[in-house]
Every structure is written in structure tokens, then in C-alpha cells.
Amino acid sequence: MGFFEGKKPAAILKHAIIDKYVSPFVGKTGLYSPGHRVAIVDGYAGEGRYDNGDEASPALLLRKARELQAINRQLECYFVESHPQSLARLRQVIAAEGAELPMQVFPGSIEDHLDDLLTLVKGIPALVYLDPFGVMIPFQKAAQVFAQRPSQPPATEMLINFSAVGLRRVAGLLTSTKDSPGTPATLARMDAACGGDWWQKVWLDHGEDRVRAEEAVVVEYTRRLATDQRCSWCVTPVRNRAHHKPVYYLVFLTRHRDGFTEFAEALSLGLAQWRKAVYDLENADTLFADEATFLASEQALENGWINEIEQNLRRLLGEGKPVAISKRYSEVYGKAAGQARQTHLRKAWTRLYPDVTRTSPRGKKKLLQELIEPA
């Protein structure tokens, strides 16, 4: 099967997250932007659609742009693609689905066009999506996205695919006994992507524990990028099956608290779609792939998240002080962070009213911005 013949679960997850996140991002940040304009830069756009008709990121973004017109938002899409065949197919998709929409296509690499793109989106909110097949663009280029835009509005966010497969392949050269003439250049590319050779020591310090080494490199990469630009961040491993090694890590960076919490909601919804896709694949052509069984497993997961949040809130409120959820997000959600949504927070909170807290969640739409008072 060719890459573009159909989505694997790892691709289903990233596209589900984008689908769920783009609407609140554009809706909120475009409220006060000039002309209600918001930009998304797709730095490795690909062909637009899979051979079987499934949406790849360009088709998805064009659909979102049409949908958002209904709420008076102008989503501008900027697609960058270097491969000639993929570029030709991308243009076909755009001609059929987005000719009337505000968008542009840039042939070549994102590195070549980044300066021009940042100029084009200057003054309006922007999300830069970088989804390469291999090693990331140089660290300094990635940092440039934030460095060239002020820390105050317009909003600036990044979603990066950090290839776990690529990292493992390159890191294997650090301990390889084979003398390959291409090794120095390959290591140099990874050094540039990570902003230095620090990753080599991090990897080697973990010895034979390659799983921890991989996670440590990706987290440190994200921490460095986020710290330099004063961003909040999260890292999500993405697999094709629950028991598989990650194919890549999704790295998300934002400067606004709402961006972090909205992304967490999108991640939770995306993971639900991913679990359904995996369930269907693993039970295809069997007698066990029924909707009721899947829904029961989902309910068990959700009950666990609600219990986790309830216990955490009990503990925090037991300190006798009000709990600002947005400021103590990690403590409130605990092990359910990245899995649970506000609906699960609401159910956990409801269990505690009025015995543990005198604050009711009823009628409150933005729970994460609320202050919960102890009883």
C-alpha cells in the first residue's frame, strides 16, 4: 500500500486533532483580528487527499475555511510542498475544492519560504503546522516563527511532528560500529534540527533504555523551544497501535492559556477517534467488532478519568483554599491530563457539590476559568 492510499491510525489522530482545534482557534483569535483574518501555514502540505479520498491536511483545512465563513471568519491557508508530483496533485485538489478561498501555494521547502510567509501573516493570528516525513527543520528556523512575532496579540502557535522513526534511525549512528561516510552529515542535520548536539549526550546517557532516551530528547527539544519563546507546551506520542512504538510525537506550543486548554480538548476528542480506528482495525472480519463493546470500553475509560479528577479536587479543596482550575490544570486533571475533557471535569465537580465545594458548576460554560471555593 502506498503512503497516500489510506490513513493509518497515527494519521487519523493528527488530522482529528487539527479538525477539532482549528475551529476554536480561528473562532476565538479571529474575533478581533483585522478583517477577522486568521492564517494557517501547512509547511509540508503533501498531496491534499489520500488516494482513497480521505482528507489529508490541505483538504481538511480548505473544508474548515468554508465552514468558518459561516461565523464571519476568514481562514487563510498557505501550503508549502517541495515534491513535484505531490505539488501537482495538491494543485488539483485546491482547484476542485478551494479555488474561491483565500489561499496560496508555495513550491519548494518551508525553509526557503518561511521569511515571506511570516511577512504575509504579520499582524494576524497564525498557526504554523510542520509535518515532515523525516528530520525537522533547523531549530533556529522553528524558533523564528515566534521570534519574529511579538509576545502580545496576534496569537502565534505551532504544531510540530517530531519523527520518532527518524530520531531512532539517526541516534543509531551514535553507537554503530559501521564506518559510513554519510554519518557526519546525518548527525549534523539532527544537530541543526535540535539546536545543537546536546541531544547526543541525552540519548547516550540513557544507555540501553531507548524508550526513555527518545522521550527525553523530544521533551528537551520542546522545552528549549518553548522556554526561548515563553510558550506553554505539550508533547503527545502518536502510535498506530497502543502497544506499538511511537511513529512520531506531536509538539504543540502556544503563548495563551486558552490555546493550551483548547488543544487539550481537541487532543481528547482526537484520541477517541484514534481508539475507534484502532478498535475497528483490530477487530475487522471478526465477531467482536460491535459498537456496544467499544462504547462500553470508552465509558470505562471516562469513568476512570472522572474518578481521578474527583480525587484530585477533593485533595486540593481539602487544603481549605479556592482552586483556580486554569492555574492548577495539571494538578486537577492529574493522570487524566491529555485524555479527559471539560465534560469529565464537570461530572467530577458535580459530585463534590455542595458537600466539598460551595461552588456549583451548573450554568458555567468556561469551567477552566472558574474558581472553586471549598465548602
Side-chain angles (χ1 to χ4, degrees):
M1 175 183 283
F3 181 82
F4 284 101
E5 290 182 17
K7 291 187 187 182
K8 294 182 179 179
I12 288 173
L13 176 55
K14 68 182 176 185
H15 290 147
I17 292 171
I18 294 170
D19 186 36
K20 303 300 183 185
Y21 184 70
V22 165
S23 292
F25 173 71
V26 176
K28 288 186 175 184
T29 64
L31 181 59
Y32 300 110
S33 66
H36 303 296
R37 297 166 56 209
V38 180
I40 294 186
V41 176
D42 190 343
Y44 297 84
E47 300 187 3
R49 280 191 179 274
Y50 290 80
D51 288 345
N52 68 352
D54 287 347
E55 291 179 335
S57 56
L60 188 161
L61 292 171
L62 293 174
R63 172 173 59 82
K64 300 304 288 190
R66 291 192 298 272
E67 293 173 357
L68 287 159
Q69 288 177 337
I71 61 169
N72 192 30
R73 297 293 185 273
Q74 178 169 295
L75 173 56
E76 301 176 4
C77 302
Y78 298 93
F79 302 115
V80 185
E81 178 52 47
S82 61
H83 190 274
Q85 183 177 351
S86 296
L87 180 63
R89 296 190 64 176
L90 173 63
R91 291 189 186 280
Q92 292 175 355
V93 170
I94 289 172
E97 304 177 32
E100 79 288 358
L101 296 171
M103 48 72 55
Q104 293 187 50
V105 178
F106 293 79
S109 73
I110 183 65
E111 294 178 56
D112 294 337
H113 293 295
L114 188 57
D115 288 340
D116 291 337
L117 286 164
L118 292 177
T119 299
L120 278 171
V121 303
K122 185 177 181 180
I124 64 173
L127 168 63
V128 177
Y129 174 48
L130 301 176
D131 184 22
F133 289 125
V135 176
M136 259 296 299
I137 64 172
F139 183 92
Q140 296 306 322
K141 275 289 184 181
Q144 187 178 332
V145 171
F146 289 101
Q148 290 192 6
R149 293 168 65 87
S151 58
Q152 299 302 315
T156 307
E157 298 184 348
M158 290 187 73
L159 183 61
I160 299 172
N161 173 335
F162 194 114
S163 173
V165 176
L167 174 59
R168 288 180 214 125
R169 178 179 57 80
V170 177
L173 299 174
L174 297 175
T175 54
S176 175
T177 58
K178 296 180 180 179
D179 186 15
S180 172
T183 295
T186 301
L187 292 174
R189 283 197 297 274
M190 184 59 79
D191 290 349
C194 292
D197 62 1
W198 58 264
W199 71 273
Q200 298 187 27
K201 183 177 185 302
V202 170
W203 184 278
L204 293 173
D205 282 349
H206 285 81
E208 295 299 316
D209 193 344
R210 304 298 171 79
V211 174
R212 291 286 184 87
E214 179 177 302
E215 293 173 349
V217 169
V218 178
V219 168
E220 179 61 15
Y221 164 86
T222 308
R223 188 198 66 78
R224 287 173 178 242
L225 186 58
T227 300
D228 286 349
Q229 307 304 329
R230 304 181 303 283
C231 294
S232 299
W233 57 274
C234 71
V235 173
T236 304
V238 181
R239 301 170 169 86
N240 280 317
R241 299 286 194 281
H243 60 282
H244 285 189
K245 291 180 179 180
V247 179
Y248 57 85
Y249 294 81
L250 275 181
V251 172
F252 176 71
L253 301 103
T254 180
R255 282 175 169 162
H256 199 283
R257 186 176 296 157
D258 284 356
F260 182 83
T261 55
E262 289 289 354
F263 185 81
E265 293 282 303
L267 174 59
S268 175
L269 292 167
L271 285 168
Q273 281 189 232
W274 175 84
R275 288 191 297 272
K276 183 62 166 66
V278 170
Y279 178 85
D280 289 343
L281 282 171
E282 292 181 340
N283 292 281
D285 302 321
T286 74
L287 300 176
F288 306 103
D290 66 281
E291 191 74 11
T293 300
F294 174 74
L295 292 176
S297 66
E298 286 294 290
Q299 188 60 60
L301 280 175
E302 293 188 23
N303 289 340
W305 302 335
I306 295 167
N307 291 338
E308 168 75 8
I309 296 170
E310 178 189 358
Q311 292 171 10
N312 293 336
L313 283 175
R314 282 185 182 275
R315 175 176 52 80
L316 294 171
L317 289 166
E319 297 172 358
K321 298 178 181 179
V323 176
I325 302 175
S326 62
K327 294 181 179 180
R328 306 188 73 173
Y329 180 92
S330 296
E331 294 173 272
V332 170
Y333 276 77
K335 295 177 182 178
Q339 300 279 340
R341 302 185 295 282
Q342 289 191 58
T343 183
H344 307 114
L345 170 63
R346 186 183 299 277
K347 290 178 180 179
W349 184 348
T350 299
R351 291 179 182 178
L352 303 178
Y353 175 79
D355 296 333
V356 179
T357 173
R358 62 173 180 265
T359 310
S360 171
R362 179 176 294 181
K364 294 179 170 61
K365 294 183 178 180
K366 298 181 179 180
L367 295 187
L368 298 179
Q369 298 178 13
E370 296 293 334
L371 191 71
I372 307 182
E373 299 277 355

